[in-house]
């Protein structure tokens, strides 16, 4: 082995490594609890809108599964669905009205919530990092078990003014980075709370990913309903029991 | 009859179980790598071998050698999906144990 190029005071472990880890864990727990406490309660849909959606859904289900119905049931339902979809009794709002701006009420709320979440997240990250930087900067904390390229030197040896030191010797901020990457798994193992791991992962995705698609410019409901009614009108009836004797005999012959 | 019907929520539950096993074992194997003072390439070899081992054992114990019954795409969900997560958790516990043992 030979003589190591640096000898690190063992007290650093107890006064830097362990405190940072515990603080990270506690902070993640705190953030999770705050997120639960401040999460908005789900909004109820107005009755008319709900009727519209469910009516459309039942028509779609009918379109997919009509073959289990007997002939007369099929005809009844076909005419019922066509009538309901075409005469506009299911529509939540008058189709002649101007479509309301999706940015003003519902969409805006969702965006505000997301922005708040992002913002809080960013503040938490910044606070944590500046805490680590404030208390634990300017010394070498540990040796990484794997070599890194020189490009990481600037980031991982932040505040250590030695030019020729191997990149494997790193300061406390890099332990913070590594620990925050593996935190999701630790949380999953320690608390086995499904939502917790998921949430953290979502946050990570949000940080690096693209914004989720917004529902802008959805087609108008009356057009959708007319198309659906057309589809239902042209179904040619076919029963699941047609020629069943033949098939059973074939199956067991 | 030919193609088994799969229920999305059950598959999700299976994936969760697999993920828990991977999380747990990644931390344990990372700590063992740190205690063994493995460095650079040896450590990463240990990582991949342990990952493959855990996934294979999971196939035997939980899936009874028929992973296609429990996952939509068994090879992908067993050997690919959790690798990044396994890697980060392994790196963390490896680094920690390595630093603690060394000084």
């Amino acid at each position: 082995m030979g003589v190591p190029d640096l000898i690190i005071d063992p007290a650093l472990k107890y006064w830097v490594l362990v405190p940072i880890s515990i603080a990270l864990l506690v902070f993640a727990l705190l953030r999770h609890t705050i997120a639960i406490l401040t999460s908005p309660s789900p909004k109820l849909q107005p009755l008319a809108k709900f009727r519209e959606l469910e009516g459309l859904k039942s028509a779609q289900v009918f379109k997919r599964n009509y073959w289990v119905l007997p002939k007369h049931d099929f005809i009844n339902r076909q005419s019922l669905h066509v009538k309901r979809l075409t005469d506009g009794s299911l529509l939540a709002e008058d189709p002649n009205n101007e479509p309301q701006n999706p940015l003003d009420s519902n969409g805006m709320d969702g965006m505000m919530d997301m922005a708040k979440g992002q913002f809080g997240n960013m503040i938490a990250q910044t606070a944590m990092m500046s805490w680590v930087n404030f208390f634990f900067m300017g010394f070498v904390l540990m040796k990484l078990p794997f070599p890194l390229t020189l490009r990481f030197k600037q980031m991982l040896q932040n505040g250590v003014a030695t030019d020729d030191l191997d990149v494997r010797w790193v300061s406390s901020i890099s332990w913070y980075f590594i620990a925050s990457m593996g935190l999701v798994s630790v949380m999953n193992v320690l608390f086995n709370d499904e939502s917790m791991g998921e949430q953290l992962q979502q946050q990570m995705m949000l940080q690096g990913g693209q914004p989720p698609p917004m529902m802008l410019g959805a087609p108008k409901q009356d057009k959708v309903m007319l198309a659906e009614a057309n589809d239902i009108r042209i179904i040619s009836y076919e029963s699941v029991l047609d020629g069943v004797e033949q098939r059973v005999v074939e199956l067991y012959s | 009859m030919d193609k088994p019907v799969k229920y999305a929520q059950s598959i999700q539950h299976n994936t969760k179980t697999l993920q828990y096993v991977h999380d747990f074992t990644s931390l344990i194997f990372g700590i063992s790598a740190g205690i063994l003072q493995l460095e650079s390439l040896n450590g990463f070899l240990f990582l991949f071998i342990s990952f493959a081992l855990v996934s294979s054992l999971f196939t035997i114990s939980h899936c009874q050698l028929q992973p296609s019954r429990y996952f939509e795409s068994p090879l992908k969900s067993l050997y690919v999906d959790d690798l990044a997560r396994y890697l980060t958790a392994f790196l963390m516990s490896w680094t920690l144990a390595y630093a603690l043992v060394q000084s």
Side-chain angles (χ1 to χ4, degrees), chain A residues 28-228:
Chain A
L29 256 183
L30 185 75
R31 226 162 60 188
H32 176 65
T33 321
I34 289 178
I36 287 179
L37 288 179
T38 58
S39 67
S41 50
K43 279 209 192 77
L44 292 179
Q45 266 185 327
L47 174 64
K49 189 80 194 155
F50 194 66
R51 258 191 68 190
E52 181 183 281
L53 287 178
E54 290 300 311
L56 206 57
K57 209 186 282 176
S58 91
Q60 277 159 359
V61 169
F62 171 74
K63 198 170 75 181
R64 242 177 306 151
N65 297 327
Y66 65 90
W67 37 265
V68 298
L69 296 168
K71 178 94 184 185
H72 57 274
D73 262 350
F74 171 77
I75 292 174
N76 277 348
R77 278 168 211 227
Q78 190 182 30
S79 60
L80 173 73
H81 279 302
V82 169
K83 181 167 158 292
R84 276 204 311 195
L85 290 174
T86 43
D87 68 1
S89 59
L90 282 175
L91 285 176
E93 51 200 37
D94 197 4
N96 299 324
N97 280 358
E98 279 293 302
Q100 54 166 276
N101 189 358
L103 284 181
D104 53 38
S105 64
N106 274 328
M108 209 55 192
D109 277 359
M111 272 189 348
M112 272 302 280
D113 283 345
M114 221 165 60
K116 260 188 258 173
Q118 289 252 34
F119 198 59
N121 208 13
M122 225 167 64
I123 289 185
Q125 290 270 8
T126 321
M128 203 58 198
M129 258 172 71
S130 54
W131 176 74
V132 171
N133 257 338
F134 184 74
F135 282 104
F136 308 110
M137 208 175 87
F139 53 85
V140 167
L141 172 66
M142 66 205 296
K143 189 182 178 190
L144 290 181
F146 45 88
L148 290 168
T149 51
L150 271 178
R151 288 178 49 205
F152 288 96
K153 193 174 169 71
Q154 185 67 251
M155 187 176 80
L156 296 183
Q157 287 184 0
N158 195 6
V160 182
T162 40
D163 289 337
D164 297 331
L165 191 58
D166 189 3
V167 193
R168 289 175 64 182
W169 297 95
V170 293
S171 63
S172 45
I173 193 75
S174 51
W175 167 243
Y176 169 76
F177 279 132
I178 293 175
S180 61
M181 277 196 308
L183 194 63
V184 184
S185 307
V186 179
M187 295 292 265
N188 189 11
V189 169
L190 279 187
F191 307 106
N192 199 11
D193 188 345
E194 294 166 359
S195 59
M196 198 179 294
E198 251 167 41
Q199 215 181 19
L200 282 175
Q201 229 170 19
Q202 266 175 5
Q203 283 171 358
M204 283 187 148
M205 261 194 255
L206 276 182
Q207 277 166 14
Q210 56 285 82
M214 297 289 291
M215 282 285 286
L216 290 181
K220 290 177 86 175
Q221 286 296 335
D222 54 331
K223 297 287 184 323
V224 178
M225 283 192 177
L226 282 182
E228 204 68 40

Side-chain angles (χ1 to χ4, degrees), chain B residues 1-13:
Chain B
M1 257 170 276
D2 331 314
K3 200 164 151 271
V5 177
K6 284 173 181 167
Y7 184 48
Q9 280 175 354
S10 301
I11 288 185
Q12 207 174 9
H13 178 258

Side-chain angles (χ1 to χ4, degrees), chain A residues 13 17 142-147 168 175 178-179 181 184-186 188-189 192 194 198 201, chain B residues 16 20 23-24 27 38-40 44 85 88-89 91-92 94-96 98-100 102-103:
Chain A
K13 284 189 296 204
L17 205 56
M142 66 205 296
K143 189 182 178 190
L144 290 181
F146 45 88
R168 289 175 64 182
W175 167 243
I178 293 175
M181 277 196 308
V184 184
S185 307
V186 179
N188 189 11
V189 169
N192 199 11
E194 294 166 359
E198 251 167 41
Q201 229 170 19
Chain B
K16 284 251 162 64
Y20 183 79
D23 282 347
F24 201 82
L27 295 175
L38 298 179
E39 289 194 5
S40 51
F44 285 107
R85 207 175 147 130
T88 50
L91 277 188
M92 185 191 76
W94 182 22
T95 315
L96 180 65
Y98 185 84
L100 286 182
Q102 205 179 39
S103 50

Side-chain angles (χ1 to χ4, degrees), chain B residues 5-79:
Chain B
V5 177
K6 284 173 181 167
Y7 184 48
Q9 280 175 354
S10 301
I11 288 185
Q12 207 174 9
H13 178 258
N14 296 343
T15 318
K16 284 251 162 64
T17 314
L18 176 65
Q19 196 174 53
Y20 183 79
V21 170
H22 273 155
D23 282 347
F24 201 82
T25 49
S26 68
L27 295 175
I28 290 184
F29 278 113
I31 290 173
S32 2
I35 293 173
L36 292 173
Q37 295 282 296
L38 298 179
E39 289 194 5
S40 51
L41 205 57
N42 287 334
F44 285 107
L45 268 181
F46 190 70
L47 189 162
F48 289 116
I49 289 173
S50 67
F51 183 72
L53 185 75
V54 167
S55 293
S56 313
L57 285 180
F58 187 88
T59 321
I60 294 172
S61 70
H62 282 64
C63 306
Q64 277 119 29
L65 288 176
Q66 290 173 312
S68 54
R69 284 184 60 195
Y70 300 92
F71 294 102
E72 203 67 75
S73 50
L75 270 183
K76 180 164 168 290
S77 32
L78 275 170
Y79 291 97

